[in-house]
Amino acid sequence: MAAAQCTRIRLWRWRRSPLRRRSDLVEAWVVLAGWAFALVGGLIAGLYAVGAVERAADEQRERSRQVTAVLMEDTGDRAPARAASDYRVWAKVGWTGPDGSTHTDDARVPPKTEAGTEITVWTDGRGQITAEPLTTAETQLHAVSGGILAALCTGGTVLGTAWLLRLWLQHRQLEQWALEWERIDTTNGWKPT
């Protein structure tokens, strides 16, 4: 006895058939549109995110200035500023701005540094200490990572929406099939008990 073979017919929702319902064709269009919008939307979102990161890094570079500050207090045996990988400690520093005004702020400096030591800090356009601008390599890494994340989130959202719409369509199909089976059974006198 030969084993029963199940053949899979590809793209059956797109082929003309008396068994194909209109809802099958709508479902096929939903899947196709979902994939198309996910790819195009993901690409656009990714490129936009890359541009936004690069613009932000350029603005940070334009605003930032490297200045020489003087440590105003001994750092002694203070605890590190952040995690174990960051060995620096917080201490008060002072510097003179380009307009001649004097500024003071807290900065991260090497531990066990004596007051009066000159250190290099970065300031923003308002004369406040800021982080060192990203290097070109760091900017590229952030841009690529942000672009990939934005593309995946956008594509995933679109595909998730298409999947929910497809589930709703399948639920409607099952309801229609149940109504048709009930009509057929009632017509032939096979009313379910």
Side-chain angles (χ1 to χ4, degrees):
M1 180 179 221
Q5 272 190 323
C6 180
T7 59
R8 183 178 175 117
I9 300 174
R10 297 188 186 277
L11 304 172
W12 67 270
R13 287 182 175 91
W14 296 100
R15 296 178 183 202
R16 293 194 183 276
S17 168
L19 299 177
R20 184 188 76 186
R21 298 170 182 256
R22 184 171 29 156
S23 60
D24 294 329
L25 189 58
V26 170
E27 183 180 351
W29 278 106
V30 165
V31 170
L32 180 65
W35 278 103
F37 285 133
L39 291 173
V40 172
L43 179 65
I44 291 170
L47 292 174
Y48 181 78
V50 166
V53 169
E54 288 174 347
R55 282 189 303 276
D58 289 342
E59 288 173 13
Q60 182 188 24
R61 272 191 223 104
E62 288 174 12
R63 283 193 316 252
S64 299
R65 293 184 42 134
Q66 190 175 14
V67 297
T68 301
V70 176
L71 188 60
M72 300 176 76
E73 58 189 3
D74 290 337
T75 57
D77 291 330
R78 295 184 187 178
R82 290 191 187 174
S85 63
D86 188 4
Y87 66 92
R88 295 177 291 180
V89 296
W90 287 106
K92 187 152 305 275
V93 296
W95 71 94
T96 304
D99 58 355
S101 60
T102 305
H103 300 277
T104 59
D105 201 355
D106 289 332
R108 294 184 312 171
V109 298
K112 299 179 183 173
T113 307
E114 295 180 8
T117 304
E118 289 186 353
I119 59 168
T120 302
V121 295
W122 288 87
T123 61
D124 61 11
R126 297 171 302 197
Q128 296 179 349
I129 291 183
T130 186
E132 182 178 347
L134 297 175
T135 64
T136 304
E138 290 171 334
T139 301
Q140 289 174 349
L141 178 65
H142 285 249
V144 168
S145 301
I148 289 172
L149 184 62
L152 290 175
C153 288
T154 302
T157 301
V158 171
L159 288 177
T161 303
W163 179 71
L164 289 174
L165 183 57
R166 188 174 177 202
L167 284 179
W168 178 77
L169 287 170
Q170 288 175 348
H171 179 70
R172 291 278 316 241
Q173 287 174 346
L174 292 175
E175 286 177 349
Q176 290 173 350
W177 287 342
L179 287 173
E180 289 179 22
W181 275 112
E182 186 176 327
R183 183 175 48 88
I184 290 170
D185 287 348
T186 305
T187 304
N188 294 326
W190 299 331
K191 184 91 172 155
T193 56

